[in-house]
Amino acid sequence: MGKFNPGQKLNASFLAGAALVMLATGSIMRWFDPFPDALRTGATFVHDWTSFAMVVAIAGHVVVALRHPAALRAMARGGPG
């Protein structure tokens, strides 16, 4: 399986892709002059929903971490929980 499990790989891929989407759509919203209204509206929609998905993913990880204090302690300090 390697160093990371499939869930960790999926999460990393999702967040990396979402970061690129946020960068692209944020750039369209920041420098909007060369883009038509339809593209700017779509960029706003995608940017909003991507940010919502990222918040849900990160909040879910925080909740799971708080439910497993020994594992959280081991990640923060190193060594066994």
Side-chain angles (χ1 to χ4, degrees), residues 5-53:
N5 69 41
Q8 291 169 316
K9 292 175 185 176
L10 180 65
N11 184 55
S13 298
F14 165 70
L15 288 177
L20 291 175
V21 168
M22 294 291 286
L23 181 63
T25 56
S27 296
I28 291 172
M29 292 188 301
R30 173 64 178 96
W31 296 286
F32 56 85
D33 282 335
F35 302 105
D37 285 343
L39 187 62
R40 294 189 325 227
T41 302
T44 302
F45 179 81
V46 171
H47 194 85
D48 291 347
W49 280 103
T50 303
S51 65
F52 177 72

Side-chain angles (χ1 to χ4, degrees), residues 58-70:
I58 293 167
H61 278 83
V62 170
V63 168
V64 170
L66 293 175
R67 287 179 26 195
H68 299 93

